[in-house]
Coordinates of all heavy atoms in Angstrom, one line a residue:
M1 N 165.5 82.2 134.6 CA 166.8 82.0 134.0 C 167.8 82.8 134.7 O 167.7 84.0 134.8 CB 166.7 82.4 132.5 CG 168.0 82.3 131.9 SD 168.1 81.6 130.2 CE 166.7 80.6 130.0
A2 N 168.8 82.1 135.2 CA 169.9 82.8 136.0 C 171.0 83.2 135.0 O 171.2 82.6 134.0 CB 170.4 81.9 137.1
V3 N 171.8 84.1 135.4 CA 173.0 84.5 134.7 C 174.2 84.3 135.7 O 174.1 84.7 136.8 CB 172.9 86.0 134.3 CG1 174.2 86.5 133.7 CG2 171.7 86.3 133.4
D4 N 175.2 83.7 135.2 CA 176.4 83.4 136.0 C 177.1 84.8 136.2 O 177.2 85.6 135.4 CB 177.4 82.5 135.3 CG 176.8 81.1 135.2 OD1 176.0 80.7 136.0 OD2 177.1 80.4 134.2
K5 N 177.6 84.9 137.5 CA 178.3 86.2 137.8 C 179.7 85.8 138.2 O 179.9 84.9 139.1 CB 177.6 86.9 138.9 CG 176.3 87.4 138.4 CD 175.6 88.2 139.5 CE 174.4 88.6 138.8 NZ 173.3 88.9 139.3
V6 N 180.7 86.3 137.6 CA 182.1 86.1 137.8 C 182.7 87.3 138.5 O 182.6 88.4 138.0 CB 182.9 85.7 136.5 CG1 184.3 85.5 136.8 CG2 182.2 84.5 135.9
T7 N 183.4 87.1 139.6 CA 184.0 88.3 140.3 C 185.5 88.2 140.1 O 186.1 87.2 140.4 CB 183.7 88.3 141.8 OG1 182.3 88.3 142.0 CG2 184.3 89.5 142.5
V8 N 186.1 89.3 139.6 CA 187.5 89.4 139.3 C 188.0 90.7 139.9 O 187.7 91.7 139.5 CB 187.8 89.4 137.8 CG1 189.3 89.5 137.6 CG2 187.2 88.1 137.1
D9 N 188.7 90.6 141.0 CA 189.3 91.7 141.7 C 188.2 92.8 141.9 O 188.3 94.0 141.5 CB 190.4 92.3 140.9 CG 191.6 91.4 140.9 OD1 191.8 90.6 141.8 OD2 192.4 91.5 140.0
K10 N 187.1 92.4 142.5 CA 186.0 93.3 142.8 C 185.2 93.8 141.6 O 184.4 94.7 141.8 CB 186.4 94.4 143.7 CG 187.0 94.0 145.0 CD 187.4 95.2 145.9 CE 188.1 94.7 147.1 NZ 188.5 95.7 148.0
I11 N 185.4 93.3 140.5 CA 184.6 93.6 139.3 C 183.7 92.5 139.0 O 184.2 91.4 138.8 CB 185.5 93.9 138.1 CG1 186.5 95.1 138.4 CG2 184.7 94.2 136.8 CD1 187.5 95.4 137.3
R12 N 182.4 92.7 138.9 CA 181.5 91.6 138.6 C 181.2 91.6 137.1 O 180.9 92.6 136.5 CB 180.2 91.8 139.4 CG 179.3 90.6 139.3 CD 178.0 90.8 140.0 NE 177.1 91.4 138.9 CZ 176.1 92.2 139.1 NH1 175.9 92.6 140.3 NH2 175.4 92.6 138.1
V13 N 181.4 90.5 136.5 CA 181.1 90.3 135.1 C 180.0 89.2 134.9 O 180.1 88.1 135.4 CB 182.4 89.8 134.3 CG1 182.1 89.6 132.9 CG2 183.5 90.8 134.5
D14 N 179.0 89.6 134.2 CA 177.9 88.6 134.0 C 178.2 87.8 132.7 O 178.5 88.4 131.7 CB 176.5 89.4 133.8 CG 176.1 90.1 135.1 OD1 176.4 89.6 136.2 OD2 175.4 91.1 135.0
K15 N 178.1 86.5 132.8 CA 178.4 85.6 131.7 C 177.2 84.8 131.4 O 176.4 84.5 132.3 CB 179.6 84.6 132.1 CG 180.9 85.3 132.3 CD 181.6 85.6 131.0 CE 183.0 85.9 131.3 NZ 183.8 85.9 130.1
I16 N 177.0 84.4 130.2 CA 175.8 83.6 129.8 C 176.3 82.6 128.7 O 177.1 82.9 127.9 CB 174.7 84.5 129.3 CG1 173.4 83.7 129.2 CG2 175.0 85.2 128.0 CD1 172.2 84.6 129.3
T17 N 175.7 81.4 128.8 CA 176.0 80.3 127.9 C 174.8 80.0 127.0 O 173.7 80.5 127.3 CB 176.4 79.1 128.7 OG1 175.2 78.6 129.5 CG2 177.6 79.3 129.6
W18 N 175.1 79.2 126.0 CA 174.1 78.8 125.1 C 173.0 78.0 125.8 O 171.8 78.2 125.5 CB 174.7 78.0 124.0 CG 173.9 77.8 122.7 CD1 172.8 78.6 122.3 CD2 174.2 76.9 121.7 NE1 172.4 78.2 121.1 CE2 173.2 77.2 120.7 CE3 175.1 75.9 121.5 CZ2 173.1 76.4 119.5 CZ3 175.0 75.2 120.3 CH2 174.1 75.5 119.3
D19 N 173.4 77.2 126.7 CA 172.4 76.4 127.5 C 171.4 77.3 128.3 O 170.2 77.1 128.3 CB 173.0 75.4 128.5 CG 173.6 74.2 127.8 OD1 173.2 73.9 126.7 OD2 174.6 73.7 128.4
R20 N 172.0 78.4 128.8 CA 171.2 79.4 129.6 C 170.2 80.1 128.8 O 169.1 80.6 129.3 CB 172.1 80.4 130.3 CG 173.0 79.8 131.3 CD 172.3 79.6 132.6 NE 173.1 78.8 133.5 CZ 173.3 79.2 134.8 NH1 172.8 80.3 135.2 NH2 174.1 78.5 135.5
V21 N 170.4 80.2 127.5 CA 169.5 80.9 126.6 C 168.6 79.9 125.8 O 167.9 80.3 124.9 CB 170.1 81.9 125.6 CG1 170.8 83.0 126.4 CG2 171.1 81.3 124.7
G22 N 168.6 78.7 126.3 CA 167.8 77.7 125.7 C 168.2 77.2 124.3 O 167.4 76.6 123.5
R23 N 169.5 77.3 124.0 CA 170.1 76.8 122.8 C 169.3 77.3 121.6 O 169.0 76.6 120.7 CB 170.3 75.3 122.7 CG 171.4 74.9 123.6 CD 171.7 73.4 123.4 NE 172.9 73.1 124.1 CZ 174.1 72.9 123.6 NH1 174.3 73.1 122.3 NH2 175.1 72.6 124.4
V24 N 169.0 78.6 121.6 CA 168.3 79.2 120.5 C 169.0 78.9 119.1 O 170.2 78.8 119.1 CB 168.0 80.7 120.6 CG1 167.2 81.0 121.9 CG2 169.3 81.5 120.7
T25 N 168.3 78.8 118.0 CA 168.9 78.5 116.8 C 168.8 79.6 115.7 O 169.3 79.5 114.6 CB 168.2 77.2 116.2 OG1 166.8 77.5 116.0 CG2 168.4 76.0 117.1
E26 N 168.1 80.7 116.1 CA 167.9 81.8 115.1 C 168.3 83.1 115.8 O 168.1 83.3 117.0 CB 166.4 81.9 114.7 CG 165.8 80.7 114.0 CD 166.4 80.6 112.6 OE1 166.7 81.6 112.0 OE2 166.6 79.4 112.2
P27 N 169.0 84.0 115.0 CA 169.3 85.3 115.5 C 168.0 86.0 115.8 O 167.0 85.8 115.2 CB 170.0 86.0 114.4 CG 170.2 85.0 113.3 CD 169.4 83.8 113.6
G28 N 168.1 86.9 116.8 CA 166.9 87.7 117.1 C 167.0 88.3 118.5 O 168.0 88.3 119.2
R29 N 165.9 88.9 118.9 CA 165.7 89.6 120.2 C 164.8 88.7 121.1 O 163.7 88.4 120.7 CB 165.1 90.9 120.0 CG 165.1 91.8 121.2 CD 164.7 93.2 120.8 NE 164.4 94.1 121.9 CZ 163.3 94.5 122.3 NH1 162.2 94.1 121.6 NH2 163.1 95.2 123.4
Y30 N 165.4 88.2 122.2 CA 164.6 87.3 123.1 C 164.4 87.9 124.5 O 165.3 88.5 125.0 CB 165.4 86.0 123.2 CG 165.6 85.2 121.9 CD1 166.7 85.5 121.1 CD2 164.6 84.3 121.5 CE1 166.8 84.8 119.9 CE2 164.7 83.7 120.3 CZ 165.8 83.9 119.5 OH 166.0 83.2 118.3
M31 N 163.3 87.6 125.0 CA 163.0 88.1 126.4 C 163.4 87.0 127.4 O 163.1 85.9 127.3 CB 161.5 88.3 126.5 CG 161.0 88.8 127.9 SD 161.8 90.4 128.2 CE 161.1 90.7 129.8
Y32 N 164.2 87.5 128.4 CA 164.6 86.6 129.5 C 164.3 87.3 130.8 O 163.9 88.5 130.8 CB 166.1 86.3 129.4 CG 166.4 85.4 128.2 CD1 166.9 85.9 127.0 CD2 166.2 84.1 128.3 CE1 167.1 85.1 125.9 CE2 166.4 83.2 127.2 CZ 166.8 83.7 126.0 OH 167.0 82.9 125.0
T33 N 164.5 86.7 131.9 CA 164.2 87.2 133.2 C 165.0 88.5 133.5 O 164.5 89.3 134.2 CB 164.4 86.2 134.3 OG1 165.8 85.8 134.3 CG2 163.5 85.0 134.2
F34 N 166.1 88.7 132.9 CA 166.9 89.9 133.2 C 166.7 91.0 132.2 O 167.2 92.1 132.3 CB 168.4 89.5 133.2 CG 168.9 88.8 132.0 CD1 169.2 89.4 130.8 CD2 169.0 87.4 132.0 CE1 169.7 88.7 129.7 CE2 169.4 86.7 130.9 CZ 169.8 87.4 129.8
G35 N 165.9 90.8 131.1 CA 165.6 91.8 130.1 C 165.6 91.2 128.7 O 165.6 90.0 128.6
W36 N 165.7 92.0 127.7 CA 165.8 91.6 126.3 C 167.2 91.3 125.9 O 168.1 92.1 126.2 CB 165.2 92.7 125.4 CG 163.7 92.8 125.5 CD1 163.1 93.7 126.3 CD2 162.7 92.0 124.9 NE1 161.7 93.5 126.2 CE2 161.5 92.5 125.3 CE3 162.8 91.0 124.0 CZ2 160.3 92.0 124.8 CZ3 161.6 90.4 123.5 CH2 160.4 90.9 124.0
L37 N 167.5 90.2 125.2 CA 168.8 89.8 124.8 C 168.8 89.7 123.3 O 168.0 89.0 122.7 CB 169.2 88.5 125.4 CG 170.5 87.9 124.9 CD1 171.7 88.9 125.2 CD2 170.8 86.5 125.5
T38 N 169.7 90.4 122.6 CA 169.8 90.3 121.2 C 170.9 89.4 120.9 O 172.1 89.6 121.3 CB 170.1 91.7 120.5 OG1 169.0 92.6 120.8 CG2 170.3 91.6 119.0
I39 N 170.6 88.3 120.1 CA 171.6 87.3 119.7 C 171.8 87.4 118.2 O 170.8 87.4 117.4 CB 171.2 85.9 120.1 CG1 171.0 85.9 121.6 CG2 172.1 84.9 119.6 CD1 170.5 84.6 122.2
T40 N 173.0 87.6 117.7 CA 173.3 87.7 116.3 C 173.7 86.4 115.7 O 174.0 85.4 116.4 CB 174.5 88.7 116.1 OG1 175.7 88.1 116.6 CG2 174.3 90.0 116.7
A41 N 173.7 86.3 114.4 CA 174.1 85.1 113.6 C 175.6 84.8 114.0 O 175.9 83.6 114.2 CB 174.0 85.3 112.1
G42 N 176.4 85.8 114.2 CA 177.8 85.6 114.6 C 177.9 84.9 116.0 O 178.8 84.0 116.2
D43 N 177.1 85.4 116.9 CA 177.0 84.7 118.2 C 176.7 83.3 118.1 O 177.3 82.4 118.8 CB 176.0 85.4 119.1 CG 176.3 86.9 119.4 OD1 177.4 87.3 119.3 OD2 175.3 87.6 119.6
L44 N 175.7 83.0 117.3 CA 175.3 81.6 117.1 C 176.4 80.7 116.5 O 176.6 79.6 116.8 CB 174.0 81.5 116.3 CG 172.7 82.0 117.0 CD1 171.6 82.1 116.1 CD2 172.4 81.2 118.3
D45 N 177.1 81.3 115.5 CA 178.2 80.6 114.9 C 179.2 80.2 115.9 O 179.8 79.1 115.9 CB 178.9 81.5 113.8 CG 178.0 81.6 112.6 OD1 177.0 80.8 112.4 OD2 178.2 82.6 111.8
I46 N 179.5 81.1 116.8 CA 180.5 80.8 117.9 C 180.0 79.7 118.8 O 180.7 78.7 119.1 CB 180.9 82.0 118.7 CG1 181.6 83.0 117.8 CG2 181.6 81.7 120.0 CD1 181.7 84.4 118.4
W47 N 178.7 79.7 119.2 CA 178.2 78.7 120.0 C 178.1 77.3 119.3 O 178.3 76.3 119.9 CB 176.8 79.1 120.5 CG 176.8 79.8 121.8 CD1 177.7 79.6 122.8 CD2 175.9 80.8 122.3 NE1 177.5 80.4 123.9 CE2 176.3 81.2 123.6 CE3 174.8 81.4 121.8 CZ2 175.7 82.1 124.4 CZ3 174.1 82.3 122.5 CH2 174.6 82.7 123.8
K48 N 177.9 77.4 118.0 CA 177.8 76.1 117.2 C 179.2 75.5 117.2 O 179.4 74.2 117.2 CB 177.3 76.3 115.8 CG 175.8 76.6 115.8 CD 175.3 77.0 114.4 CE 173.9 77.4 114.5 NZ 173.4 78.0 113.2
Q49 N 180.3 76.3 117.1 CA 181.6 75.8 117.1 C 182.1 75.4 118.5 O 182.9 74.5 118.7 CB 182.6 76.8 116.4 CG 184.0 76.2 116.2 CD 184.8 77.1 115.3 OE1 184.4 78.2 114.9 NE2 186.0 76.7 115.1
Y50 N 181.7 76.2 119.5 CA 182.2 76.1 120.9 C 180.9 76.1 121.8 O 180.6 77.1 122.4 CB 183.1 77.2 121.3 CG 184.3 77.3 120.4 CD1 184.4 78.3 119.5 CD2 185.4 76.5 120.5 CE1 185.5 78.5 118.6 CE2 186.5 76.6 119.7 CZ 186.6 77.6 118.8 OH 187.7 77.7 118.0
P51 N 180.2 75.0 121.9 CA 178.9 75.0 122.6 C 179.0 75.4 124.1 O 178.0 75.8 124.7 CB 178.4 73.5 122.5 CG 179.2 73.0 121.3 CD 180.5 73.7 121.2
Q52 N 180.2 75.2 124.7 CA 180.4 75.6 126.1 C 180.8 77.0 126.3 O 181.0 77.5 127.4 CB 181.4 74.7 126.8 CG 180.9 73.2 126.7 CD 179.6 73.0 127.3 OE1 179.2 73.5 128.4 NE2 178.7 72.2 126.6
A53 N 181.0 77.8 125.2 CA 181.5 79.2 125.3 C 180.5 80.0 126.2 O 179.3 79.8 126.2 CB 181.6 79.8 123.9
A54 N 181.1 80.9 127.0 CA 180.4 81.8 127.8 C 180.7 83.2 127.4 O 181.8 83.7 127.3 CB 180.8 81.6 129.3
F55 N 179.6 84.0 127.0 CA 179.7 85.3 126.6 C 179.5 86.3 127.7 O 178.8 86.0 128.7 CB 178.6 85.7 125.6 CG 178.9 85.2 124.2 CD1 178.5 83.9 123.8 CD2 179.5 86.0 123.2 CE1 178.8 83.5 122.5 CE2 179.7 85.6 122.0 CZ 179.4 84.3 121.6
T56 N 180.2 87.4 127.7 CA 180.0 88.5 128.6 C 178.7 89.2 128.2 O 178.4 89.5 127.0 CB 181.1 89.6 128.5 OG1 182.3 88.9 128.8 CG2 180.9 90.7 129.5
L57 N 177.8 89.4 129.2 CA 176.5 90.0 128.9 C 176.7 91.5 129.0 O 177.1 92.1 130.0 CB 175.5 89.6 130.0 CG 174.1 89.8 129.7 CD1 173.6 89.1 128.5 CD2 173.3 89.3 130.9
M58 N 176.4 92.2 127.9 CA 176.6 93.7 127.8 C 175.3 94.4 127.8 O 174.4 94.1 127.0 CB 177.4 94.0 126.5 CG 178.7 93.2 126.4 SD 180.0 93.7 127.5 CE 180.3 95.3 126.9
A59 N 175.1 95.4 128.6 CA 173.9 96.3 128.6 C 174.1 97.2 127.4 O 175.1 97.7 127.1 CB 173.8 97.1 129.9
Q60 N 173.0 97.5 126.8 CA 172.9 98.5 125.7 C 171.7 99.3 125.8 O 170.7 98.9 126.4 CB 173.0 97.8 124.3 CG 171.7 97.0 124.0 CD 171.9 96.3 122.6 OE1 172.9 95.9 122.3 NE2 170.8 96.1 121.9
H61 N 171.8 100.5 125.3 CA 170.6 101.4 125.4 C 170.0 101.6 124.0 O 170.7 102.0 123.0 CB 171.1 102.8 125.9 CG 171.8 102.7 127.2 ND1 171.1 102.5 128.4 CD2 173.1 102.8 127.6 CE1 171.9 102.4 129.4 NE2 173.1 102.6 128.9
S62 N 168.7 101.3 123.8 CA 168.1 101.4 122.6 C 167.7 102.9 122.3 O 167.6 103.3 121.2 CB 166.9 100.5 122.5 OG 166.0 100.8 123.5
E63 N 167.5 103.6 123.4 CA 167.2 105.1 123.3 C 168.0 105.8 124.3 O 168.4 105.2 125.4 CB 165.7 105.3 123.6 CG 164.8 104.6 122.6 CD 163.3 104.7 123.0 OE1 163.0 105.5 123.9 OE2 162.5 103.9 122.4
P64 N 168.3 107.1 124.1 CA 169.1 107.9 125.1 C 168.6 107.9 126.5 O 169.3 107.9 127.4 CB 169.1 109.3 124.5 CG 168.8 109.1 123.0 CD 167.9 107.9 122.9
D65 N 167.2 107.8 126.7 CA 166.6 107.9 128.0 C 166.3 106.5 128.5 O 165.7 106.4 129.6 CB 165.4 108.7 128.0 CG 165.7 110.2 127.6 OD1 166.8 110.6 127.9 OD2 164.8 110.9 127.1
A66 N 166.7 105.4 127.8 CA 166.4 104.1 128.3 C 167.1 103.8 129.6 O 168.2 104.2 129.8 CB 166.8 103.1 127.2
S67 N 166.5 103.0 130.4 CA 167.1 102.6 131.7 C 168.1 101.5 131.5 O 167.9 100.7 130.6 CB 166.0 102.2 132.7 OG 165.4 101.0 132.3
I68 N 169.1 101.4 132.3 CA 170.1 100.4 132.2 C 169.5 99.1 132.7 O 168.7 99.0 133.6 CB 171.3 100.7 133.2 CG1 172.0 101.9 132.6 CG2 172.3 99.5 133.3 CD1 173.1 102.4 133.6
G69 N 169.8 98.0 132.0 CA 169.3 96.7 132.4 C 168.1 96.2 131.6 O 167.7 95.1 131.8
D70 N 167.6 96.9 130.6 CA 166.5 96.5 129.8 C 166.9 95.7 128.5 O 166.3 94.8 128.1 CB 165.6 97.6 129.4 CG 164.9 98.3 130.6 OD1 164.7 97.6 131.6 OD2 164.5 99.4 130.4
E71 N 168.0 96.2 127.9 CA 168.5 95.6 126.6 C 169.9 95.1 126.8 O 170.7 95.8 127.4 CB 168.5 96.7 125.5 CG 167.1 97.2 125.2 CD 166.3 96.3 124.3 OE1 166.9 95.4 123.6 OE2 165.1 96.4 124.3
F72 N 170.2 93.9 126.3 CA 171.5 93.3 126.4 C 171.9 92.7 125.1 O 171.1 92.4 124.2 CB 171.5 92.2 127.4 CG 171.2 92.7 128.8 CD1 169.9 92.8 129.3 CD2 172.3 93.1 129.6 CE1 169.7 93.2 130.6 CE2 172.0 93.5 130.9 CZ 170.7 93.6 131.4
H73 N 173.2 92.6 124.9 CA 173.8 91.9 123.7 C 175.0 91.2 124.3 O 175.4 91.3 125.4 CB 174.1 92.8 122.6 CG 175.2 93.8 122.9 ND1 175.0 95.0 123.5 CD2 176.6 93.7 122.6 CE1 176.2 95.6 123.6 NE2 177.1 94.9 123.1
L74 N 175.6 90.3 123.4 CA 176.7 89.5 123.9 C 178.0 90.2 123.5 O 178.1 90.7 122.4 CB 176.6 88.1 123.2 CG 175.3 87.3 123.5 CD1 175.3 86.0 122.8 CD2 175.2 87.1 125.0
G75 N 178.9 90.1 124.4 CA 180.2 90.7 124.2 C 181.3 89.7 124.0 O 181.1 88.7 123.3
A76 N 182.5 89.9 124.6 CA 183.6 89.0 124.5 C 183.2 87.6 125.1 O 182.3 87.5 125.9 CB 184.8 89.5 125.4
F77 N 183.9 86.6 124.6 CA 183.5 85.2 125.0 C 184.8 84.4 125.4 O 185.9 84.7 125.0 CB 182.7 84.5 123.9 CG 183.5 84.3 122.7 CD1 184.2 83.2 122.4 CD2 183.5 85.3 121.7 CE1 184.9 83.0 121.2 CE2 184.2 85.1 120.5 CZ 184.9 84.0 120.3
D78 N 184.5 83.4 126.2 CA 185.5 82.5 126.6 C 185.1 81.1 126.2 O 184.0 80.6 126.5 CB 185.6 82.5 128.2 CG 186.7 81.6 128.7 OD1 187.3 80.8 128.0 OD2 186.9 81.6 130.0
V79 N 185.9 80.4 125.3 CA 185.5 79.2 124.7 C 185.6 78.0 125.7 O 185.0 77.0 125.5 CB 186.3 78.8 123.5 CG1 186.0 79.8 122.4 CG2 187.8 78.7 123.7
A80 N 186.3 78.2 126.8 CA 186.4 77.1 127.8 C 186.3 77.7 129.2 O 187.3 77.8 130.0 CB 187.7 76.3 127.7
P81 N 185.1 78.2 129.6 CA 185.0 78.9 130.9 C 185.3 78.1 132.1 O 185.6 78.7 133.1 CB 183.5 79.4 130.9 CG 182.8 78.5 129.9 CD 183.9 78.1 128.9
D82 N 185.2 76.8 132.0 CA 185.4 76.0 133.2 C 186.8 75.4 133.3 O 187.1 74.7 134.2 CB 184.3 74.8 133.3 CG 182.9 75.4 133.5 OD1 182.8 76.4 134.1 OD2 182.0 74.8 132.9
A83 N 187.6 75.6 132.3 CA 188.9 75.1 132.3 C 189.9 75.8 133.2 O 189.7 77.0 133.4 CB 189.5 75.1 130.8
P84 N 190.8 75.1 133.8 CA 191.8 75.9 134.7 C 192.7 76.8 133.8 O 192.9 76.5 132.6 CB 192.6 74.7 135.3 CG 192.4 73.6 134.4 CD 191.1 73.7 133.7
P85 N 193.2 77.8 134.4 CA 194.1 78.7 133.6 C 195.3 77.9 133.1 O 195.8 77.0 133.8 CB 194.5 79.8 134.6 CG 194.1 79.3 135.9 CD 193.1 78.2 135.8
P86 N 195.8 78.3 131.9 CA 196.9 77.6 131.3 C 198.3 77.9 132.0 O 199.3 77.4 131.6 CB 196.9 78.0 129.9 CG 196.3 79.3 129.9 CD 195.3 79.3 131.0
F87 N 198.3 78.8 133.0 CA 199.5 79.2 133.6 C 199.3 79.3 135.1 O 198.2 79.3 135.6 CB 200.0 80.5 133.0 CG 198.9 81.6 133.2 CD1 198.8 82.4 134.3 CD2 198.0 81.8 132.1 CE1 197.8 83.3 134.5 CE2 197.1 82.8 132.3 CZ 196.9 83.6 133.4
T88 N 200.4 79.3 135.8 CA 200.3 79.5 137.3 C 201.0 80.8 137.6 O 201.9 81.3 136.9 CB 201.0 78.4 138.0 OG1 202.3 78.3 137.6 CG2 200.3 77.1 137.7
T89 N 200.6 81.4 138.7 CA 201.2 82.6 139.2 C 201.9 82.3 140.5 O 201.5 81.4 141.3 CB 200.2 83.8 139.4 OG1 199.2 83.3 140.3 CG2 199.5 84.1 138.1
H90 N 203.0 83.0 140.8 CA 203.7 82.8 142.0 C 203.7 84.0 142.9 O 203.7 85.1 142.5 CB 205.2 82.4 141.7 CG 205.2 81.2 140.9 ND1 205.0 79.9 141.4 CD2 205.5 81.0 139.6 CE1 205.1 79.0 140.4 NE2 205.4 79.6 139.3

């Protein structure tokens, strides 16, 4: 399972969609190729309302000595990740 990577001014942000997590229907902790992902009922509510929404993948530490990259949760989301920006810059 791949995770989309968006680069914004040299900052890489990992995004993940409902399709990428197999359209899970229950909150829980799921194993993926990049580590464990915790999905909450609130995350699922957003995906049910906006199926194309892309969440920022956030690393979390379950223990103080845990290594980065093992545990993840969903952060901010974009309800239309493929839509063009609503404004132009000059």
